[in-house]
Amino acid sequence: MDMERALIGSLKLLGRFEGSQLKLSEAVSLARSYIKERHGIDVTEISRMCEMLSSDLEFYVGLKNERVLDLEILLRRQWRLLSRLAGDTYTAETAEALALFRAITRTDAQNTMELLLSVDHYARTILNYLNMELLAEITEGEWVGAAGQVSFDRLVFSPTRLRGMNLLVAKRDSAAEAAYLAKPLVNHAILTDNPEAGFPEGTPLLVVRRVNRSIALLAHYARRHAAGMFVAVTGSAGKSSVKEMIAEGLSHQKLVSRTMGTSNSFLVASDVMINTPLQTDVSVYECGLGVNGSAIDVQSSIIRPHIAIITSIAPAHIGGYGSIEEIAKKKLQIAEGLDENGFLLIDGDCPIISRAIESDPYRELQHVIVRFGFSDHCNSRIVDWSVTEKGTYIEAIVLDERHTMTVPLYGRHWSKMALAVLTAIKLCGSDVAAAATRLAGFKTMNGRGQYLKLCADKGLLGVFDSHHTANPGSMYADLVAFDELYKCTTYRRKIAVIGAYRELGEHMERHHIELIDWLIAFGFEELFLVGEHEFDVAMPALQESQIAYHLFQTIEEGLKTVASAIKGDDLLFIKAPNNKDLKLVTPYLKETIAKANYESEQA
């Protein structure tokens, strides 16, 4: 990690500071001196590195109004190059890269060495400030086999992620993990509640009573020392995309971290809390509620959000909770750790959540609630919206300001989610207009309402891919979005690949009948249904409709049938719970169409 930080420190010297006249040769000299003095490393590759970066640096110096996005991208690219030159792999997290960017743009570079010191400051996590004794005290653990002091910069949950100086978390099933470790760890240690798991001899162990408790204690400690604002997002649909959009919208103005992908458990929240630099301006967390509960109240107590958001309420995982009203109450636990000066953002058009906050113990939240939606009583309100092939145009009152934006997502549901994003950004004290401009280029998450156009042999095939998850609420929202997209394009047929619901318990039959009724009402001409026997109950309605349909137990059985049935000028809808593997459909179609196009050209 010293080598990586040293090289990254040199990058700061190679960077552009407003008003600075630092020449490249001077930067190289200072970088070499700094690295050798501070880290004891003679970086002989620095000259070659400078030559490889020279064209980028010219571009770097010339950046003006759009420099934030470009600098961020450039910084990540250079970081990868610097790491490769050091003989290491790219190990940096986005938050750390943005921390370094902040150091460039916010620090007066009158003294270059001071700047380099500030870079280290902005990148430091809670672990950088803890010695072994204090770490053991916080986690209620005891060191075994530790010879001398070892410092850590990161907590990791897998041996494959070990880089730099890490503290590896290993649970009671950690014997399998130990197989990855063929020899004692150098500059690493293991936190475990099972010291007999077969770890390599000589490896320092921090032995605790229960791993989860110790991680929670460390996360709480990190939160107490964090300087920035915290945002927590939950809901039955849209939470991952809302989390990503908030982070994207803020990243041009602030140092931002977020939970990655769709991970939303207690351990993920703890992981991010512990490993995020303490000087981060805003941290955005996704909090989920699985079929057996993901302890949203526990996550909230760790995050202690300044802004908590409930995107929507729908019968997702209803099999584990019995009623949609109970789901609403579980989602409201996101506010249990709310900062005393915080806000709770809720869907102002949803009667279920409105009724839930009228009941004990949530009635006391009334004074911190901010409503977003279409209704007149909402604090942030959609004034107008429309859909084009490029996305959804929105005109809205964001608290007391009027703003417009276009997001590359489709339909009424996403206009409301975008409004929640802008409201959160305003409450973070950021420039809403600038964030709206940045979000116009937001890249839709894989399998969450992506719109793709594939050049088939006989025309253009449109694909609306939302394969990642499905519950009745998100299904209907995406069907409406799909229909809005269809209306503003010239596609001929609507076809769909649909996976059966899961985790609906006794409500399973009713919701599958409802789903088939929706597909008929929205005018689909051909359906590919994936499930074991879930759709049997809806067969009478489907047969009466005379819509062409195909049934498969797995999507692998149906891929060839789907590919052979689609035509140019079709618009394909893909939606299913993540376990149905409908993620295979779009790649298979791309491959099949590419092969057919190639063969056609050769003929």
Side-chain angles (χ1 to χ4, degrees), residues 394-413:
I394 304 155
E395 182 179 349
I397 305 297
V398 182
L399 299 178
D400 56 348
E401 297 178 354
R402 184 177 290 265
H403 292 278
T404 61
M405 69 180 300
T406 298
V407 289
L409 296 161
Y410 300 90
R412 179 184 175 92
H413 168 72

Side-chain angles (χ1 to χ4, degrees), residues 234-235 264 287-290 293-303 327 330-337:
T234 191
N264 53 37
C287 301
L289 181 65
S294 292
I296 285 184
D297 55 340
V298 175
Q299 294 177 62
S300 182
S301 71
I302 290 172
I303 301 166
I327 290 173
K330 291 291 185 182
K331 295 292 185 184
L332 275 168
Q333 291 179 353
I334 196 71
E336 293 201 5

Side-chain angles (χ1 to χ4, degrees), residues 331-375:
K331 295 292 185 184
L332 275 168
Q333 291 179 353
I334 196 71
E336 293 201 5
L338 193 68
D339 184 83
E340 61 181 2
N341 297 313
F343 299 94
L344 173 63
L345 277 59
I346 65 170
D347 181 351
D349 302 325
C350 177
I352 297 168
I353 192 70
S354 296
R355 287 196 297 270
I357 60 176
E358 293 293 339
S359 62
D360 291 329
Y362 303 108
R363 189 178 289 111
E364 63 188 36
L365 295 173
Q366 292 290 339
H367 68 289
V368 301
I369 289 174
V370 175
R371 293 174 172 82
F372 60 89
F374 290 86
S375 304

Side-chain angles (χ1 to χ4, degrees), residues 406-543:
T406 298
V407 289
L409 296 161
Y410 300 90
R412 179 184 175 92
H413 168 72
W414 283 112
S415 66
K416 190 185 293 188
M417 295 301 98
L419 178 60
V421 169
L422 293 185
T423 304
I425 287 172
K426 182 170 175 60
L427 291 172
C428 285
S430 294
D431 186 332
V432 176
T437 299
R438 186 174 178 88
L439 286 170
F442 176 70
K443 185 178 180 180
T444 310
M445 295 180 69
N446 182 39
R448 292 180 177 272
Q450 286 178 301
Y451 172 46
L452 309 169
K453 291 186 281 189
L454 307 179
C455 294
D457 183 39
K458 297 181 180 179
L460 196 66
L461 170 68
V463 180
F464 185 94
D465 189 347
S466 195
H467 69 255
H468 190 273
T469 187
N471 59 66
S474 66
M475 177 68 76
Y476 188 77
D478 273 342
L479 283 170
V480 171
F482 176 85
D483 192 57
E484 292 287 344
L485 175 61
Y486 177 81
K487 290 175 181 176
C488 67
T489 56
T490 58
Y491 294 108
R492 209 168 38 82
R493 291 198 313 160
K494 295 179 182 178
I495 55 178
V497 181
I498 303 291
Y501 294 133
R502 62 189 182 100
E503 298 180 0
L504 296 181
E506 63 184 23
H507 306 276
M508 189 76 79
E509 290 189 358
R510 175 171 66 85
H511 283 297
H512 279 94
I513 293 173
E514 177 186 64
L515 171 56
I516 295 301
D517 288 343
W518 287 343
L519 295 171
I520 294 170
F522 276 100
F524 285 89
E525 296 186 30
E526 191 165 6
L527 302 175
F528 303 87
L529 306 175
V530 182
E532 296 181 357
H533 304 288
E534 294 93 341
F535 289 106
D536 291 353
V537 67
M539 282 301 102
L542 192 55
Q543 292 165 356

Side-chain angles (χ1 to χ4, degrees), residues 115-374:
L115 174 67
L116 293 171
L117 293 173
S118 74
V119 170
D120 285 341
H121 169 68
Y122 280 115
R124 290 170 73 84
T125 70
I126 190 64
L127 288 173
N128 293 125
Y129 295 93
L130 304 180
N131 59 30
M132 295 177 71
E133 290 74 18
L134 183 54
L135 185 58
E137 180 182 336
I138 294 167
T139 57
E140 298 178 349
E142 181 179 356
W143 286 102
V144 175
Q149 281 288 334
V150 179
S151 60
F152 307 102
D153 52 36
R154 190 162 185 81
L155 185 78
V156 299
F157 287 78
S158 168
T160 61
R161 295 177 60 193
L162 289 172
R163 302 286 190 278
M165 297 172 290
N166 301 155
L167 181 62
L168 170 66
V169 175
K171 292 189 171 183
R172 287 198 169 274
D173 57 357
S174 55
E177 293 183 341
Y180 286 96
L181 309 172
K183 55 185 178 181
L185 300 179
V186 178
N187 291 332
H188 304 300
I190 294 176
L191 185 150
T192 183
D193 52 14
N194 184 21
E196 308 300 324
F199 298 114
E201 185 177 351
T203 300
L205 302 179
L206 178 53
V207 181
V208 298
R209 294 181 61 185
R210 288 191 298 120
V211 163
N212 280 9
R213 172 175 169 78
S214 294
I215 292 172
L217 291 170
L218 186 55
H220 280 290
Y221 188 87
R223 175 63 181 88
R224 289 197 298 273
H225 291 81
M229 294 187 69
F230 289 81
V231 180
V233 185
T234 191
S236 300
K239 55 184 175 289
S240 295
S241 294
V242 166
K243 175 257 300 181
E244 291 292 327
M245 290 171 73
I246 292 172
E248 179 72 13
L250 287 169
S251 62
H252 71 298
Q253 304 172 65
K254 296 179 180 293
L255 168 59
V256 182
S257 72
R258 61 185 178 275
T259 52
M260 303 307 292
T262 60
S263 302
N264 53 37
S265 68
F266 146 74
L267 283 178
V268 170
S270 300
D271 179 5
V272 174
M273 184 65 70
I274 294 165
N275 290 319
T276 295
L278 294 179
Q279 297 300 318
T280 299
D281 291 318
V282 181
S283 298
V284 191
Y285 290 74
E286 177 183 340
C287 301
L289 181 65
V291 67
N292 295 315
S294 292
I296 285 184
D297 55 340
V298 175
Q299 294 177 62
S300 182
S301 71
I302 290 172
I303 301 166
R304 296 204 339 259
H306 299 88
I307 301 169
I309 305 172
I310 301 176
T311 60
S312 61
I313 299 295
H317 314 298
I318 196 171
Y321 299 100
S323 71
I324 195 169
E325 289 76 16
E326 190 62 27
I327 290 173
K329 292 178 181 179
K330 291 291 185 182
K331 295 292 185 184
L332 275 168
Q333 291 179 353
I334 196 71
E336 293 201 5
L338 193 68
D339 184 83
E340 61 181 2
N341 297 313
F343 299 94
L344 173 63
L345 277 59
I346 65 170
D347 181 351
D349 302 325
C350 177
I352 297 168
I353 192 70
S354 296
R355 287 196 297 270
I357 60 176
E358 293 293 339
S359 62
D360 291 329
Y362 303 108
R363 189 178 289 111
E364 63 188 36
L365 295 173
Q366 292 290 339
H367 68 289
V368 301
I369 289 174
V370 175
R371 293 174 172 82
F372 60 89
F374 290 86

